[in-house]
Amino acid sequence: MKTRSRFTPLALASLSLVTPAFALISIDFVPVGNAGNAADTTGYGAVSYAYQIGKYEVTNSQYAAFLNAKGATNSNGIYNSSMASYGITQTGSSGSFSYNVSSGYANKPVVYVSWFDAARFSNWLGNGQGSGNMETGAYTLNNATSGIVTVNVGATVYIPSEDEWYKAAYYNPATTTYSLYPNGQNTITTADANYNNSVGSTTTVGTYTSDPSPYGTFDQAGNVGEWDDGIISTGRVRRGGRFDNTDAAIASTYRSASSPTSETNSLGFRVVSTSASVATTVPEPSALVIMGLSALGLAARRRRVA
């Protein structure tokens, strides 16, 4: 079992005092318990520890917050200009780039993200957001944009392992069995998920409200393919199919990989956390600043009384 570091409320408050200009985003996680479950017949899905996984795919609004915090020069290509057609536009010049989300796209999954973009987003989340480092943390990247990089022991937020992703999608803790599709069933139709080009593009995350996985995740079938940390040769595994795949590609039996540098209009990601404090909704920095200042004021009053 991996050992994970944890943020404390005091540490988060201190961070907010350093970077008050940035609004912290919140990832909606769902808990995945039942540690020590057996693997599926495919060989995947066994996880020996409890964790949290994103209820939804990372959205344009969440990724745009990352870009506005870390993308002033678009270092290491964290923004792809093709994102403009799928919800995120860039304005300004290098050194002062800023990013906006197009109307109607805020809660659609971010696309045109490489595995390295997902890793940098994960580092930034785990390092407290704001001006947090995106090159080290869950992954030691040091400006790498190609090759295979593995997750560091102690990571708090990271791209799901293949087993973590698979378990959250297909395992039913009530029956201790696996389903063929991420809706908890062995059958699926286009009324249950965005696949087979039934919509023709991405949909808002969580659109298929009646079809979560047994753990409560959405869109692990269709919408966009999702990066995980699995490795096939020199590629990284993607799971879950996409909006223009047939049902075969969203089944538990389907496994494929892409170059970790690949960026397409149907490839996104979600994140995992093993830290309860990271998985909790975090107040806006302004609220934490007020809390911090209140605490300082209280301490000062106590000193005066003493």
Side-chain angles (χ1 to χ4, degrees):
M1 179 175 176
K2 298 175 183 176
T3 302
R4 307 290 183 185
S5 61
R6 297 176 183 269
F7 288 117
T8 65
L10 179 59
L12 286 169
S14 299
L15 176 64
S16 72
L17 292 171
V18 175
T19 58
F22 298 103
L24 299 183
I25 65 169
S26 174
I27 301 291
D28 193 355
F29 288 94
V30 296
V32 181
N34 316 103
N37 63 296
D40 196 2
T41 54
T42 61
Y44 296 99
V47 182
S48 62
Y49 47 87
Y51 60 99
Q52 294 82 223
I53 192 168
K55 187 174 185 177
Y56 309 108
E57 295 148 338
V58 172
T59 65
N60 282 319
S61 62
Q62 292 166 337
Y63 196 80
F66 165 59
L67 289 172
N68 279 314
K70 303 299 296 182
T73 62
N74 194 25
S75 59
N76 293 312
I78 55 175
Y79 177 77
N80 183 322
S81 60
S82 294
M83 289 179 182
S85 297
Y86 286 81
I88 304 177
T89 58
Q90 181 193 70
T91 57
S93 56
S94 183
S96 59
F97 285 137
S98 62
Y99 303 87
N100 295 288
V101 179
S102 303
S103 177
Y105 284 86
N107 292 318
K108 290 190 175 185
V110 65
V111 293
Y112 285 105
V113 282
S114 68
W115 181 93
F116 286 92
D117 296 334
R120 288 187 164 91
F121 180 88
S122 299
N123 279 348
W124 175 72
L125 281 180
N127 286 323
Q129 305 183 43
S131 60
N133 197 315
M134 69 176 186
E135 296 302 314
T136 60
Y139 304 92
T140 303
L141 299 172
N142 294 332
N143 298 309
T145 55
S146 63
I148 297 295
V149 179
T150 56
V151 68
N152 292 325
V153 173
T156 54
V157 185
Y158 51 97
I159 302 165
S161 72
E162 192 163 7
D163 285 321
E164 289 166 343
W165 196 99
Y166 192 102
K167 178 178 178 177
Y170 303 113
Y171 185 69
N172 187 331
T175 61
T176 66
T177 61
Y178 289 86
S179 59
L180 184 60
Y181 299 106
N183 62 346
Q185 306 295 322
N186 291 326
T187 58
I188 198 166
T189 73
T190 54
D192 305 314
N194 180 17
Y195 72 98
N196 210 31
N197 235 6
S198 59
V199 176
S201 187
T202 59
T203 51
T204 296
V205 298
T207 291
Y208 298 85
T209 56
S210 300
D211 295 280
S213 73
Y215 282 108
T217 63
F218 290 89
D219 300 305
Q220 286 193 269
N223 212 18
V224 295
E226 299 179 22
W227 290 114
D228 68 42
D229 264 352
I231 300 169
I232 299 177
S233 185
T234 59
R236 303 309 293 244
V237 173
R238 60 179 194 269
R239 285 275 191 174
R242 57 182 193 252
F243 63 83
D244 57 351
N245 278 146
T246 66
D247 58 347
I250 61 178
S252 61
T253 50
Y254 185 82
R255 181 176 185 249
S256 62
S258 293
S259 164
T261 62
S262 180
E263 297 177 340
T264 74
N265 69 343
S266 57
L267 189 54
F269 69 106
R270 72 183 68 214
V271 292
V272 153
S273 174
T274 53
S275 171
S277 58
V278 172
T280 301
T281 299
V282 181
E284 292 292 312
S286 56
L288 290 172
V289 169
I290 292 170
M291 289 161 54
L293 292 175
S294 297
L296 290 173
L298 178 60
R301 286 196 297 274
R302 286 175 174 169
R303 284 196 296 271
R304 285 197 297 271
V305 169

